[in-house]
Amino acid sequence: MEEPLVPLVPMSHTAHIRSHRKPRSNASTMAMRAGVAGGILGSVAVAGASASAYAAEPVTQTIELPTLTADVASQVAQSADAMQQTAANYELQAERDAATAKAAEQAAADLKEAKAEAKKKAEAERRAAAERAATRAAERATLTSKATSASTSTSASAPASGSVATVVSFLKAQLGDAYVLGASGPNAWDCSSLMQAAYKQVGVDLPRVSQDQSTVGTDVSLSNLQVGDILYWGAKGSAYHVGTYIGNGQYLDAANPSKGVVIQDLSGYPATGAVRVL
């Protein structure tokens, strides 16, 4: 079924288009706008006038910065150098103090070590000396015992005069022989080797050196000497010379390199002491 057609009514073109023109301002609005614009322009004018006035006024004051004179600058430089030198000196002194302390510490350690070493060495020497002394004492005791035994044996087997005569005879047979230190015959002697060889003829074994020969046998007073007694010069145990008493205030010995084996008067060279082994 067809719908009925609606008739179109023609309308005026101007009747349906609204006007786009801005509404006109009223009188009060216009007056307000004019007042604001006038105020702004007035302010700008005043500011411009002030700026012109300041620009026209000349500058009469300046601000000067302080300047350093040459003397002040030199003093500052010298002060800086002095401070730097002082710091360097302090550093150098600190290094020296450290080196000194280290050297002192090392010296103390070395001294301690040296003392310990010296103490150790002294102790070793003391022990060695004690051992030597003990050995020497034992040897002396043995020699004394042998000399005493030999003397007793000789006395038992033959008259003492026979032993003495044998010793004196042997000694006189060496008269004129040379004196040589350390020699032991048959043509050169020193004082103790001559004594040792002479008394060995009758079985008495004497020590080799005069120091030990002065300690064997029995001590005898110089006022009670008998032929065959051994004379010594120097302290007992440290005698430096020995000889044999042959009677009549005389003794026979290997005297020295200039005299050799000779007979001498006891009064010219008094002995220190005497021992008897026969």
Side-chain angles (χ1 to χ4, degrees), residues 112-134:
K112 183 178 180 180
E113 183 178 356
K115 286 183 177 180
E117 187 65 24
K119 183 178 180 181
K120 183 178 179 181
K121 184 177 180 180
E123 181 63 21
E125 291 178 352
R126 186 191 65 78
R127 287 197 299 267
E131 291 175 359
R132 288 194 299 269

Side-chain angles (χ1 to χ4, degrees), residues 13-248:
H13 178 71
T14 59
H16 296 281
I17 298 174
R18 300 180 64 177
S19 176
H20 294 284
R21 183 181 297 176
K22 292 182 180 180
R24 295 180 178 179
S25 300
N26 55 28
S28 60
T29 301
M30 294 295 291
M32 183 179 294
R33 290 179 177 175
V36 171
I40 292 173
L41 292 175
S43 297
V44 171
V46 171
S50 298
S52 298
Y54 281 116
E57 184 178 353
V59 177
T60 60
Q61 295 181 352
T62 59
I63 300 175
E64 295 183 359
L65 295 176
T67 58
L68 296 177
T69 64
D71 292 340
V72 174
S74 176
Q75 291 177 4
V76 171
Q78 291 177 0
S79 178
D81 291 342
M83 292 179 65
Q84 185 176 5
Q85 184 61 43
T86 300
N89 290 340
Y90 280 139
E91 183 177 358
L92 179 60
Q93 186 61 41
E95 292 176 355
R96 289 176 177 174
D97 292 343
T100 300
K102 185 175 181 180
E105 182 179 355
Q106 184 62 43
D110 293 343
L111 179 60
K112 183 178 180 180
E113 183 178 356
K115 286 183 177 180
E117 187 65 24
K119 183 178 180 181
K120 183 178 179 181
K121 184 177 180 180
E123 181 63 21
E125 291 178 352
R126 186 191 65 78
R127 287 197 299 267
E131 291 175 359
R132 288 194 299 269
T135 301
R136 190 169 182 177
E139 290 176 351
R140 287 178 179 175
T142 301
L143 291 172
T144 301
S145 177
K146 287 182 178 180
T148 302
S149 298
S151 178
T152 302
S153 176
T154 302
S155 298
S157 61
S161 58
S163 297
V164 171
T166 300
V167 170
V168 173
S169 177
F170 177 85
L171 290 172
K172 288 183 176 181
Q174 315 310 315
L175 287 171
D177 284 352
Y179 175 96
V180 177
L181 182 63
S184 298
N187 299 313
W189 313 85
D190 61 18
C191 64
S192 56
S193 68
L194 181 60
M195 296 297 100
Q196 186 182 48
Y199 287 87
K200 191 173 184 179
Q201 304 303 310
V202 294
V204 177
D205 292 325
L206 294 179
R208 173 62 181 83
V209 296
S210 59
Q211 292 92 331
D212 293 335
Q213 289 178 3
S214 67
T215 64
V216 299
T218 304
D219 290 336
V220 178
S221 171
L222 294 177
S223 61
N224 192 31
L225 291 175
Q226 293 182 6
V227 176
D229 290 344
I230 297 175
L231 303 172
Y232 63 85
W233 286 258
K236 185 178 182 67
S238 60
Y240 58 85
H241 188 65
V242 288
T244 297
Y245 182 69
I246 60 174
N248 299 320

